Amino acid sequence: MREIMFKRGLRLPIGKVSEFKGEKLSREIGFVGDDFTGLKVKFLVNEGDKVSTGTPLFINRKDEDVVFVSPVNGVVKNIVRGEKRKFLYLSIEVENHASGEAIDFEDKNLNYKDILLKYGFWPYFRKRPFDKIPSSKSKPVAIFITAIDTRGFAPDPNLIIEKEKDNFIKGVDVLKEAFGVKTFLCVDKDFNKSMLSEDELLEIAVFHGPHPAGLAGTHIDHLRKPTMEEEVWYIDYQAVIDIGYFFYTGKINPYKYVSIAGYDFKENGIFKILKGSRLDNILDISNDYRYISGCYLYGRKIDENTPFVGFYVNQVSIIKEGGEKRLFGWISPSGKYFTVLGVALSKFIRPKKYIFDTSMHGSLRPIIPIASYNKVTAIDTEPLALLRAVLTKDIDRAIDLGILSLGEEDFSLYTYVCPSKIDFIKHSRELLDTVEKEW
């Protein structure tokens, strides 16, 4: 067992969510195109088609063995495209969320990898470099199971894993059997370490520190960096639970646990929902707040064009809409605004409650070389040099500084603390796409 400790990162005054509050079942679920980076889809169904749990809905046009399946029984309600036929979302009107008869896969002469492909589990994996769904023909040199979450208002993974203990253990065993490569189980100090025993294919790594200690990029950078020839994959702990559930029961699990929480939200809690739930089916929506599929720092805004909880996320974050002018702007002496750089009184006089909203407190300007980037860096790199390479599209320099281990979310803290209001998330995606095309 390996223990990895670091002090750098960001401790927002927002903790984990650790109280289960029952079920919230939606009448409609959906898949949002923006959740799948670089995906070109080919639909296998039309609007009005009846689908059952496990029915293939669409495939990756570039890799037709990668299948996306329905988690419920129902009717395809909408297939929506945008400009240049961009895939916006596919929605299903739920008729029944029970899984029905178990799938008999034991006598079909399929190995574990074939089963993961055939029954829609392959999209749960994402690869580094490039942070995309891996090719069905590829094989990783290592797999990372992310069972730690340091995002603000995230559900506590340990509570969910304990609740689904047998399925989680089975899922880990399936991954080891399917790929035969080193699997790193990344956890925090509260993980029940007696649950699993280490062996030549499984290593438990305990991460200590503030956010981004829970991000896959941090784990990959510390434990097994990828190269252009050797890719590593990562997968979320709830996806591992789903895989274990399927291999135990022969059924596809239509549910997942998500936290629905916000700084001013009165009913913060962990809820059991249908995967891809339409948010306005399970929550009363207010125009005064922004609803985010994911965390505050990195997530997709839920609106009329993308009204569903994301494929990969375990939380819905709620934050007050900003835009209100305040006296003296960002240099206001208010003691309630959270600050990293110490430009507000709240750095020295800690309030009982901070003000969080969507205001940027400034406009775009050239990058400023200050210490805030170093303070939130938990990987082995020189952050300012990396960020300059990302902005200037210096491929060789960015690779030398570790871009291959990182995805867009790994740049979210840099975006948050940047006084120049530069969207490093967007620029990192552009650079990764350029590297992939030119290599």
Side-chain angles (χ1 to χ4, degrees):
M1 185 179 301
R2 201 179 312 195
E3 304 245 357
I4 298 172
M5 304 183 184
F6 44 81
K7 295 181 179 179
R8 292 192 296 179
L10 181 62
R11 295 188 186 276
L12 284 170
I14 299 170
K16 293 179 182 177
V17 179
S18 56
E19 183 180 356
F20 289 101
K21 290 196 172 179
E23 295 183 347
K24 284 181 176 286
L25 300 183
S26 174
R27 302 180 302 278
E28 186 180 350
I29 62 104
F31 294 80
V32 175
D34 283 345
D35 291 342
F36 310 105
T37 301
L39 181 69
K40 303 294 184 182
V41 304
K42 178 181 178 181
F43 291 106
L44 305 178
V45 295
N46 298 305
E47 292 181 356
D49 287 356
K50 274 188 166 293
V51 295
S52 302
T53 302
T55 298
L57 301 173
F58 55 93
I59 57 178
N60 184 348
R61 188 180 292 276
K62 296 180 180 179
D63 187 359
E64 296 193 355
D65 288 331
V66 177
V67 180
F68 295 76
V69 304
S70 173
V72 295
N73 303 313
V75 177
V76 178
K77 184 176 181 180
N78 292 303
I79 298 176
V80 182
R81 290 186 181 269
E83 292 184 9
K84 299 182 180 179
R85 293 184 57 75
K86 177 186 175 182
F87 169 41
L88 294 183
Y89 69 83
L90 177 149
S91 66
I92 298 172
E93 190 171 350
V94 179
E95 291 184 344
N96 186 351
H97 45 80
S99 295
E101 292 186 11
I103 298 168
D104 180 15
F105 53 78
E106 294 292 343
D107 60 352
K108 294 187 178 180
N109 200 28
L110 297 173
N111 60 36
Y112 280 168
K113 179 181 175 181
D114 292 337
I115 293 169
L116 292 172
L117 276 167
K118 182 178 178 64
Y119 294 104
F121 294 101
W122 201 265
Y124 286 138
F125 297 101
R126 284 169 288 176
K127 68 174 183 177
R128 301 284 169 89
F130 310 129
D131 205 22
K132 295 181 177 180
I133 298 170
S135 164
S136 61
K137 307 297 190 295
S138 64
K139 183 178 178 179
V141 296
I143 293 176
F144 290 78
I145 299 172
T146 306
I148 169 178
D149 201 334
T150 52
R151 302 175 183 94
F153 286 133
D156 187 341
N158 298 311
L159 297 178
I160 296 170
I161 291 171
E162 198 62 38
K163 200 176 182 70
E164 301 284 349
K165 180 178 178 180
D166 292 341
N167 292 326
F168 182 75
I169 294 171
K170 180 65 174 178
V172 173
D173 290 340
V174 169
L175 295 185
K176 289 160 55 181
E177 179 71 23
F179 300 102
V181 299
K182 189 63 169 282
T183 299
F184 294 98
L185 175 58
C186 302
V187 301
D188 64 19
K189 62 182 177 58
D190 297 321
F191 178 75
N192 178 6
K193 301 174 186 65
S194 64
M195 187 182 301
L196 290 158
S197 299
E198 292 185 305
D199 55 38
E200 60 181 9
L201 291 180
L202 179 67
E203 179 177 339
I204 299 174
V206 183
F207 283 80
H208 304 265
H211 192 61
L215 295 186
T218 304
H219 308 155
I220 291 167
D221 186 80
H222 281 273
L223 297 172
R224 179 59 168 93
K225 296 180 182 180
T227 66
M228 292 300 295
E229 292 76 29
E230 295 181 328
E231 62 189 41
V232 300
W233 297 358
Y234 69 100
I235 187 171
D236 176 71
Y237 67 96
Q238 290 210 57
V240 175
I241 289 170
D242 286 349
I243 290 170
Y245 178 87
F246 180 76
F247 278 86
Y248 259 138
T249 66
K251 298 181 179 182
I252 291 172
N253 180 17
Y255 307 104
K256 77 183 308 181
Y257 296 97
V258 301
S259 62
I260 301 177
Y263 208 71
D264 292 320
F265 190 57
K266 306 298 184 187
E267 300 178 11
N268 293 348
I270 301 172
F271 298 89
K272 188 176 184 179
I273 68 169
L274 293 174
K275 294 172 184 172
S277 290
R278 186 177 178 112
L279 189 66
D280 57 12
N281 280 188
I282 61 174
L283 198 66
D284 293 330
I285 303 297
S286 167
N287 292 331
D288 295 331
Y289 291 87
R290 183 175 299 182
Y291 301 85
I292 301 168
S293 174
C295 73
Y296 288 152
L297 300 178
Y298 177 78
R300 167 176 55 78
K301 181 181 178 181
I302 296 177
D303 57 23
E304 63 274 6
N305 293 321
T306 52
F308 305 99
V309 178
F311 187 84
Y312 295 109
V313 306
N314 296 323
Q315 64 185 113
V316 173
S317 302
I318 305 170
I319 186 170
K320 196 175 190 310
E321 287 285 2
E324 295 180 4
K325 291 186 178 181
R326 56 185 173 122
L327 188 62
F328 304 124
W330 65 270
I331 60 171
S332 168
S334 171
K336 292 189 176 182
Y337 286 92
F338 182 77
T339 177
V340 177
L341 294 176
V343 296
L345 284 176
S346 58
K347 186 71 174 180
F348 313 101
I349 306 172
R350 300 292 176 87
K352 292 183 178 179
K353 187 174 182 179
Y354 289 91
I355 296 173
F356 280 101
D357 60 29
T358 61
S359 299
M360 291 181 64
H361 305 303
S363 57
L364 184 65
R365 57 183 69 89
I367 188 170
I368 302 171
I370 58 175
S372 57
Y373 304 118
N374 289 337
K375 289 180 179 179
V376 298
T377 298
I379 57 175
D380 182 20
T381 193
E382 171 48 53
L384 187 59
L386 174 61
L387 296 176
R388 281 175 170 160
V390 167
L391 291 178
T392 59
K393 303 293 186 291
D394 186 339
I395 293 176
D396 293 335
R397 182 72 170 141
I399 290 175
D400 290 341
L401 290 165
I403 189 71
L404 299 185
S405 298
L406 306 178
E408 293 166 73
E409 187 170 9
D410 298 297
F411 288 86
S412 60
L413 273 178
Y414 297 134
T415 299
Y416 179 72
V417 302
C418 179
S420 302
K421 313 304 176 187
I422 297 171
D423 186 355
F424 292 111
I425 297 171
K426 180 187 74 171
H427 289 289
S428 66
R429 180 74 265 160
E430 292 172 354
L431 178 63
L432 287 169
D433 288 344
T434 301
V435 175
E436 187 176 24
K437 289 176 183 176
E438 296 190 4
W439 196 264

